[in-house]
Amino acid sequence: MATIRNPAGAPARSSPWRLPSFSLRCLHVWRRNFLVWRKLAIPSMLGNFADPAFYMLALGYGLGSLIPAIDGLPYIAFLAAGTICYSTMNTATFEALYSAFSRMHVQRTWDAILNAPLSLDDIVTGEALWAATKSLFSGAAILVVVWLLGLAQSWLVLWLIPLALLVGLCFASLGLIVTALSPSYDFFMYYFTLVVTPMMLVCGVFFPVGQLPDWLQVVSALLPLTHAVAIARPLLAGEVPGQVLLHVAVLAGYGLVAFHIALVLARRRLLR
């Protein structure tokens, strides 16, 4: 592998497994993506907001009329917490996959940025931050609907905003792993079919995890979306979540490990 030089011109270690090098230059990548998104902000926000909102309202009021209260919550309130987490996950995933792949592979935007005094570490960090920001927009939009419907029980619900950012960073990092591996857009269907959709179904978004078979409950406990929902649902009910530090640690751990793996794979793909 050829020696890679950082923006300052000093030789960098050639191992792709070296620790990430964080700098504020990643904010230039974030700003570049924001300026492009701003031109299409309304249709983008509509797509990220309308789909989960319709699901929440239709299932919450339609199916909810047939379902008794779950853990003291009407079904629409139970579903609202899961919808916020699912919407946040989905938005971060789509941005880290389709949009980031377009910039990396199709438009060659990453190659162009590497000609500026920015490193690949800056680019991947900026992409993760941008995907998390978009997921924050989506989660906040759903939270507004929840508030207007009178489903929020206390000001504790505002903690869902930093939770949405953490969930966004976690799933953005996981998505960037797939992006670094993907040869084409079609490859993403494996991730959605084998990871995202099963996670949505077994992590407590639509029904309590306790309803699952014991072995599937064990699998669910290992998945990051379960821990996001475990924080969001008590907050929506006006309660402090139990084992909140454990849930936050799991989400942060997934995000940090996945980010490093994504960066390693991106280095191998682009800096050979």
Side-chain angles (χ1 to χ4, degrees):
M1 181 182 295
T3 301
I4 304 165
R5 293 185 175 273
N6 61 26
R13 288 183 296 168
S14 59
S15 171
W17 287 98
R18 66 186 182 278
L19 292 176
S21 176
F22 296 109
S23 77
L24 292 179
R25 289 188 297 269
C26 68
L27 297 180
H28 295 294
V29 179
W30 182 95
R31 182 174 179 271
R32 181 263 171 204
N33 292 342
F34 171 76
L35 292 176
V36 173
W37 170 83
R38 191 174 62 178
K39 300 176 182 178
L40 300 171
I42 294 178
S44 176
M45 285 295 295
L46 182 62
N48 292 334
F49 161 75
D51 187 57
F54 289 155
Y55 268 99
M56 184 182 72
L57 293 173
L59 292 177
Y61 285 119
L63 189 61
S65 63
L66 306 174
I67 298 177
I70 302 176
D71 297 331
L73 292 174
Y75 183 67
I76 188 171
F78 179 90
L79 181 62
T83 301
I84 291 173
C85 296
Y86 161 66
S87 175
T88 303
M89 173 188 73
N90 221 28
T91 301
T93 300
F94 266 94
E95 183 65 26
L97 267 62
Y98 289 95
S99 298
F101 183 78
S102 295
R103 291 187 284 267
M104 179 191 71
H105 183 72
V106 180
Q107 300 169 353
R108 315 291 292 188
T109 303
W110 289 18
D111 287 346
I113 294 175
L114 286 172
N115 289 316
L118 279 82
S119 69
L120 185 58
D121 294 35
D122 298 324
I123 296 174
V124 177
T125 304
E127 291 285 355
L129 290 175
W130 171 241
T133 301
K134 285 197 68 176
S135 70
L136 177 61
F137 293 161
S138 180
I142 301 298
L143 184 57
V144 170
V145 175
V146 168
W147 194 279
L148 292 175
L149 292 175
L151 302 176
Q153 301 297 319
S154 78
W155 290 101
L156 283 174
V157 75
L158 293 178
W159 282 104
L160 289 172
I161 296 175
L163 174 64
L165 185 62
L166 177 60
V167 173
L169 285 169
C170 174
F171 285 99
S173 298
L174 290 169
L176 286 170
I177 293 177
V178 183
T179 295
L181 291 170
S182 178
S184 69
Y185 292 110
D186 294 334
F187 187 81
F188 298 146
M189 290 307 301
Y190 292 108
Y191 184 65
F192 277 100
T193 302
L194 300 177
V195 178
V196 174
T197 299
M199 203 180 308
M200 177 185 68
L201 295 175
V202 304
C203 290
V205 173
F206 299 109
F207 50 82
V209 174
Q211 300 294 320
L212 299 172
D214 291 343
W215 68 270
L216 201 50
Q217 291 184 40
V218 173
V219 173
S220 176
L222 299 175
L223 301 175
L225 186 60
T226 299
H227 296 272
V229 175
I231 297 174
R233 193 156 281 141
L235 289 175
L236 194 60
E239 303 172 0
V240 177
Q243 297 183 310
V244 63
L245 294 180
L246 171 64
H247 298 314
V248 170
V250 171
L251 289 168
Y254 262 101
L256 289 171
V257 172
F259 177 81
H260 191 206
I261 295 174
L263 185 55
V264 168
L265 295 172
R267 287 167 176 166
R268 287 182 169 178
R269 179 167 183 163
L270 298 177
L271 298 179
R272 289 179 294 185

